[in-house]
Amino acid sequence: MKIDNTLIAKELRNYKFLDDSRPGYFLQVNSQNCYYDIRVNDLDTGKYFDPYPSYSVRIPLNQRILKSGEQSLSVKVLPFNGDTLSKQASLQLRLMMYPDMTDKENDYGGSTVLWEWEMPHIEQDLPLFAMDTVFEAKVPYEINILDKYALDLSKMDGKKLLPEVLHLFQQRHRQLKNHGEDKKLMNDILQRAHVQLYYSQERISELSSKTTQRPNEVLQPLENYELRLYGNGRIVTLLNTFDYDSAIWWADKDTGEPVGWQPFYLFKNKVTGEWHTW
């Protein structure tokens, strides 16, 4: 059993854009005294489970936006300490759009704030706070890979699914441990960035040729993980159980602190049974 992205990459490599626009969408997230899990269109967008009380990040959204129109946004805010949210818990979101992601010299055309939201002040003991909403986005592409090819893994027997996913994670882990990058596979995986991030083929070739060797970091054993589904049950990954990032991660060789992760998302072809990376 192996991963083959040849078919998917061929479609994306020759993709014809719907128009000449090249917008980029971003979500600014500011948090204090809480953890969170954010999804756009049920795709993994942003998680925070680090041991620090405040965090600020700007998350690119294009790879979670599959086509123009209404996009779903779901947020779960979780306790930083204990079983209930702190009265000092705070989460602020700002949705932003840059009109031209190819115009780097002019700040991508300048940002426009489309939407802002702040979590209400916590007045009572709550185990979590959840919010679901939608926003509009207009992009020059339509990615229908999941609809065309992906099996609904939520209907698959978990006792069969986990060993298959683990086997593919073990393969990837061995490649990284032995510095045996498959440049063709990496080039195929990056073809979705050609469409959603507007990367040139030259840029993709450059990225796929980069080594993942990290001289000051130690790849950690593949253990203490849990299976997680995204994309309405069609995408699967393994997350570690200490900060819920990828189960493939590196630690600083001196301190042992986590310093690097490699996201690895998979879907299963509902026709051929082959596995592909998302």
Side-chain angles (χ1 to χ4, degrees):
M1 183 172 60
K2 65 177 184 178
I3 295 171
D4 187 349
N5 266 42
T6 305
L7 172 66
I8 309 299
K10 184 178 180 181
E11 286 192 23
L12 298 174
R13 189 176 285 113
N14 299 316
Y15 191 82
K16 303 298 182 185
F17 287 97
L18 304 178
D19 58 54
D20 294 330
S21 67
R22 298 293 183 266
Y25 291 84
F26 293 80
L27 188 67
Q28 176 72 37
V29 184
N30 302 317
S31 65
Q32 288 190 338
N33 302 304
C34 64
Y35 295 137
Y36 61 76
D37 187 333
I38 300 173
R39 299 188 185 196
V40 170
N41 297 320
D42 200 43
L43 299 173
D44 189 10
T45 301
K47 294 190 295 289
Y48 183 72
F49 291 93
D50 286 356
Y52 310 105
S54 62
Y55 186 62
S56 181
V57 64
R58 182 171 296 182
I59 304 170
L61 298 183
N62 274 40
Q63 287 190 292
R64 288 88 176 177
I65 296 173
L66 305 181
K67 61 181 180 180
S68 293
E70 192 174 86
Q71 319 294 322
S72 68
L73 170 66
S74 64
V75 179
K76 287 185 179 179
V77 186
L78 305 163
F80 184 71
N81 286 311
D83 298 324
T84 58
L85 286 167
S86 166
K87 301 299 189 293
Q88 283 72 48
S90 171
L91 186 74
Q92 298 172 326
L93 304 180
R94 180 182 297 120
L95 179 65
M96 310 172 70
M97 188 272 287
Y98 291 82
D100 188 355
M101 294 304 294
T102 65
D103 190 6
K104 187 175 181 180
E105 292 182 356
N106 296 299
D107 191 31
Y108 310 111
S111 65
T112 299
V113 176
L114 302 178
W115 172 81
E116 291 186 274
W117 175 84
E118 184 171 359
M119 184 178 72
H121 181 69
I122 301 299
E123 300 286 356
Q124 56 186 331
D125 291 342
L126 295 175
L128 63 85
F129 180 91
M131 186 272 287
D132 294 282
T133 189
V134 296
F135 66 92
E136 290 286 327
K138 189 177 186 304
V139 290
Y141 56 80
E142 184 169 335
I143 302 292
N144 58 4
I145 291 171
L146 294 176
D147 292 334
K148 285 175 64 175
Y149 299 114
L151 180 71
D152 185 350
L153 300 171
S154 67
K155 298 179 181 178
M156 187 173 171
D157 185 349
K159 293 182 179 179
K160 180 180 179 183
L161 177 59
L162 178 57
E164 290 192 32
V165 174
L166 179 58
H167 176 74
L168 295 170
F169 262 74
Q170 289 170 334
Q171 284 184 353
R172 181 66 183 142
H173 192 272
R174 283 194 296 271
Q175 285 180 338
L176 294 169
K177 186 175 182 179
N178 299 325
H179 312 300
E181 281 284 17
D182 184 334
K183 292 183 180 179
K184 178 186 179 302
L185 176 61
M186 286 305 301
N187 190 283
D188 287 347
I189 289 173
L190 288 168
Q191 289 305 317
R192 194 160 55 84
H194 163 60
V195 178
Q196 292 172 291
L197 300 180
Y198 321 120
Y199 283 2
S200 67
Q201 291 300 328
E202 290 76 17
R203 175 63 171 152
I204 287 174
S205 295
E206 176 187 337
L207 291 172
S208 60
S209 297
K210 283 187 176 181
T211 178
T212 55
Q213 187 169 358
R214 304 166 185 250
N216 297 317
E217 303 170 9
V218 179
L219 182 64
Q220 297 301 293
L222 190 56
E223 59 188 18
N224 299 323
Y225 50 78
E226 64 179 46
L227 187 141
R228 188 73 59 89
L229 295 178
Y230 292 101
N232 299 309
R234 296 173 295 181
I235 295 171
V236 65
T237 192
L238 297 180
L239 303 179
N240 69 58
T241 55
F242 67 87
D243 69 357
Y244 301 99
D245 211 316
S246 177
I248 298 176
W249 63 285
W250 288 259
D252 183 279
K253 69 175 184 179
D254 297 319
T255 68
E257 292 293 315
V259 289
W261 299 259
Q262 184 172 98
F264 194 47
Y265 301 97
L266 303 161
F267 67 95
K268 189 178 180 70
N269 195 306
K270 59 186 176 184
V271 177
T272 67
E274 291 183 308
W275 282 96
H276 310 291
T277 58
W278 172 253

